[in-house]
């Protein structure tokens, strides 16, 4: 497959629209929850539902794409995205306009997120398999990296565009309607323009696994990387979920209403995404850091960012602290994913990739709900909890022998993550797949 071909551009758009829509929704959800006068923890639980369903459904869609074909599963996934975003928008409008009670409207919003969780993983998994079917091993790394970079770009575009769709007639539900419409356009283009000629299909890494990777999560070669990854992704998931509520409260102290806070939330999320992209697309290739160094610097920077959120209250303190956390995760994520991959053999790469991807779903199950619950108890509480986890992650880099020394130094192997390493600016179950 030519990476400049219309087919690849269509697949790029599929990943871009899904990531952008998801992060746009994430940016407006705290304001909607406050307008409904619902518990912040309950609002955070809506995303946990989609994360759980995403994790459960992913292997099913991977196997189904082998049987039905990639294009059909992409169409199913995009249809689920459109229905979910449109349904969420309608439910939000019904509550905001008081056509329905806030409790019932929120239940319908949770149902819409469940639909996304069930169907959302279909499109990105089938898109990656489509590319794998049509590329040679030499082309595949570059192709997969470029396709994954669409998700990183989407995490920048979504929060940046969301405030422009908060319009008088549709209010805070506007971004959901807009991205549902964008999804319809992409769905039509996929249906009409994406080739579906038969090829020899290669089963996805998320589908059936051989015996080689069974029990790999207990293997001492990768156990430290998995624990480190759980600390890092869990802390960032809590930061992302708390961010909107934190900004609303800081602006409220300055007399700014909830509905007027959306542009400020978008700026903060944009700053975090830009910091991660700067780390992954600029600093990592420039400094040529190895996985062990990336993990140490990443955990330490994320720790400093959470401490800044405690010590520097106010809107600008929140934004800068979040950006520093995001930059730290931008270093840490390529470090532990590359380190774990380099620690196992070629026949175990599918298994270790599946383990690393599962962290995205796991990190958005409990940590966001716990983080927001702690925030409701006391404003600094989630940042203190994150600081403890990140301090543990930093210490693990020096205590664990395998993390301290890094992956084995094999001949002719460059351990530096390439400039094409997929960005992970705002990870979640809907990204990093």
């Amino acid at each position: 497959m030519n990476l400049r071909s219309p087919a690849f551009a269509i697949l790029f758009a599929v990943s871009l629209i899904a990531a952008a829509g998801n992060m746009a929704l994430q940016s407006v959800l705290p304001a909607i929850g406050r307008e409904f006068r619902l518990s912040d923890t309950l609002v955070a639980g809506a995303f946990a539902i989609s994360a759980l369903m995403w994790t459960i459904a992913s292997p099913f869609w991977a196997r189904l794409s082998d049987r039905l074909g990639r294009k059909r599963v992409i169409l199913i996934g995009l249809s689920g995205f459109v229905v979910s975003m449109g349904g969420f928008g309608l439910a939000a409008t019904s509550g905001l306009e008081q056509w329905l009670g806030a409790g019932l409207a929120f239940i319908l919003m949770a149902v819409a997120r469940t639909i996304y969780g069930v169907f959302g993983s279909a499109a990105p998994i089938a898109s990656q398999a489509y590319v794998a079917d049509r590329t040679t091993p030499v082309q595949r790394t570059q192709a997969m990296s470029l396709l994954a970079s669409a998700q990183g770009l989407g995490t920048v575009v979504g929060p940046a565009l969301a405030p422009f769709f908060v319009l008088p007639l549709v209010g805070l539900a506007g971004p959901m309607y807009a991205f549902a419409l964008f999804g319809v356009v992409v769905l039509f283009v996929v249906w009409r323009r994406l080739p579906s000629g038969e090829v020899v299909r290669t089963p996805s890494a998320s589908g059936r696994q051989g015996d080689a990777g069974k029990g790999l999560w207990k293997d001492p070669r990768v156990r430290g990387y998995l624990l480190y990854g759980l600390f890092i992704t869990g802390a960032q998931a809590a930061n992302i979920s708390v961010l909107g509520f934190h900004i609303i409260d800081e602006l409220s102290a300055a007399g700014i209403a909830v509905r007027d806070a959306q542009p400020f939330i978008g700026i903060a999320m944009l700053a975090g995404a830009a910091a991660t992209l700067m780390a992954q697309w600029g600093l990592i290739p420039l400094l040529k850091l190895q996985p062990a160094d990336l993990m140490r610097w990443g955990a330490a920077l994320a720790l400093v960012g959470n401490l800044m959120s405690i010590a520097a209250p106010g809107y600008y303190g929140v934004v800068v602290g979040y950006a520093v956390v995001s930059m730290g995760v931008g270093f840490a994520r390529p470090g532990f994913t590359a380190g774990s991959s380099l620690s196992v053999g070629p026949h175990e790469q599918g298994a270790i990739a599946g383990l690393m991807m599962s962290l995205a779903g796991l990190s958005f199950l409990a940590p966001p709900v716990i983080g927001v619950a702690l925030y409701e108890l006391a404003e600094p509480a989630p940042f203190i909890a994150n600081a403890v986890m990140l301090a543990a992650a930093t210490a693990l880099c020096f205590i664990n022998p395998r993390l301290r020394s890094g992956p084995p130094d094999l001949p002719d192997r460059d351990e530096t993550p390439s400039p094409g390493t997929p960005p992970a600016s705002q990870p979640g179950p809907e990204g990093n797949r």
Side-chain angles (χ1 to χ4, degrees):
M1 171 183 281
N2 187 337
L3 299 189
R4 296 183 179 180
S5 67
F8 189 84
I10 291 171
L11 296 176
F12 189 93
V14 170
S15 294
L16 176 64
I17 195 66
N22 185 62
M23 291 312 299
L25 191 154
Q26 173 81 65
S27 72
V28 300
L29 189 59
I32 292 174
R34 289 294 177 86
E35 289 286 342
F36 282 7
R37 301 184 186 279
L38 296 173
S39 162
D40 295 348
T41 305
L42 186 62
V43 174
F47 258 66
I49 293 173
S50 68
L52 175 62
M53 299 310 299
W54 179 286
T55 304
I56 293 172
S58 292
F60 168 78
W61 294 118
R63 292 191 293 269
L64 192 64
S65 74
D66 291 333
R67 297 200 302 271
L68 289 184
R70 315 307 189 193
K71 181 175 177 177
R72 290 181 182 177
V73 175
I74 293 172
L75 291 171
I76 292 171
L78 279 173
S79 299
F81 171 81
V82 171
V83 171
S84 173
M85 294 297 288
F88 196 102
L90 288 172
T93 298
S94 298
L96 293 169
E97 297 297 329
Q98 299 183 346
W99 301 337
L100 297 175
L104 179 57
F106 181 76
I107 290 173
L108 294 176
M109 288 161 59
V111 170
R113 284 305 297 174
T114 302
I115 293 172
Y116 185 79
V118 172
F119 293 96
S121 61
I125 285 176
S127 296
Q128 290 183 20
Y130 188 104
V131 171
D133 290 339
R134 291 162 173 80
T135 52
T136 65
V138 174
Q139 296 174 312
R140 195 161 303 151
T141 298
Q142 182 184 2
M144 291 297 188
S145 295
L146 185 57
L147 184 64
S149 71
Q151 297 173 352
L153 181 60
T155 63
V156 176
V157 171
L161 290 181
F164 294 101
F165 298 122
V166 181
L167 302 171
L169 292 178
V170 291
L172 291 170
M176 277 72 82
Y177 295 132
F179 281 98
L181 181 61
F182 294 153
V184 169
V185 173
V186 175
L187 178 65
F188 179 78
V189 172
V190 170
W191 175 53
R192 295 291 297 173
R193 297 295 182 185
L194 185 67
S196 58
E198 289 300 318
V199 297
V200 177
R201 297 191 184 108
T202 303
S204 164
S206 297
R208 292 186 176 90
Q209 301 280 351
D211 293 336
K214 287 186 176 179
L216 189 59
W217 63 275
K218 298 182 290 186
D219 194 309
R221 293 174 298 168
V222 300
R223 196 165 49 203
Y225 290 105
L226 286 172
L227 182 57
Y228 174 93
L230 282 173
F231 285 145
I232 293 292
T233 57
Q236 195 195 21
N239 279 121
I240 292 172
S241 299
V242 169
L243 178 67
F245 300 113
H246 197 183
I247 289 176
I248 289 172
D249 290 337
E250 294 296 341
L251 294 177
S252 177
I256 298 176
V258 171
R259 286 179 179 249
D260 297 327
Q262 191 53 46
F264 296 93
I265 296 174
I267 290 171
M269 297 187 79
L270 180 61
T276 304
L277 294 178
M278 181 176 70
Q280 293 188 334
W281 286 353
L283 295 177
I284 291 177
L286 177 66
L287 299 176
K288 299 186 183 298
L289 297 175
Q290 303 302 311
D293 298 318
L294 289 171
M295 292 171 66
R296 293 167 190 163
W297 281 104
L301 278 172
L303 171 60
V304 169
N306 276 278
L307 294 176
M308 290 175 66
S309 298
I310 298 170
Y315 174 71
Y316 294 105
V318 173
V319 174
V320 173
Y322 181 70
V324 173
V325 169
S326 299
M327 179 175 287
V329 176
F331 280 115
R333 185 173 291 269
F336 73 79
T337 53
S340 60
S341 176
L342 293 167
S343 296
V344 301
H347 63 291
E348 299 169 302
Q349 291 302 315
I352 194 63
L355 281 175
M356 290 299 114
M357 285 192 294
S358 71
L359 292 179
L362 291 174
S363 67
F364 267 77
L365 288 177
V369 179
I370 294 172
V372 175
L374 289 173
Y375 179 76
E376 287 195 283
L377 290 175
E379 182 177 305
F383 306 109
I384 294 172
N386 276 354
V388 172
M389 280 200 299
L390 293 166
T394 305
L396 194 63
C397 293
F398 297 94
I399 295 172
N400 185 284
R402 294 186 179 275
L403 270 58
R404 184 173 63 247
S405 59
D409 186 14
L410 299 182
D412 302 323
R413 184 175 75 184
D414 181 10
E415 296 179 1
T416 306
S418 71
T421 298
S425 45
Q426 304 286 354
E430 297 80 2
N432 300 317
R433 289 279 176 184

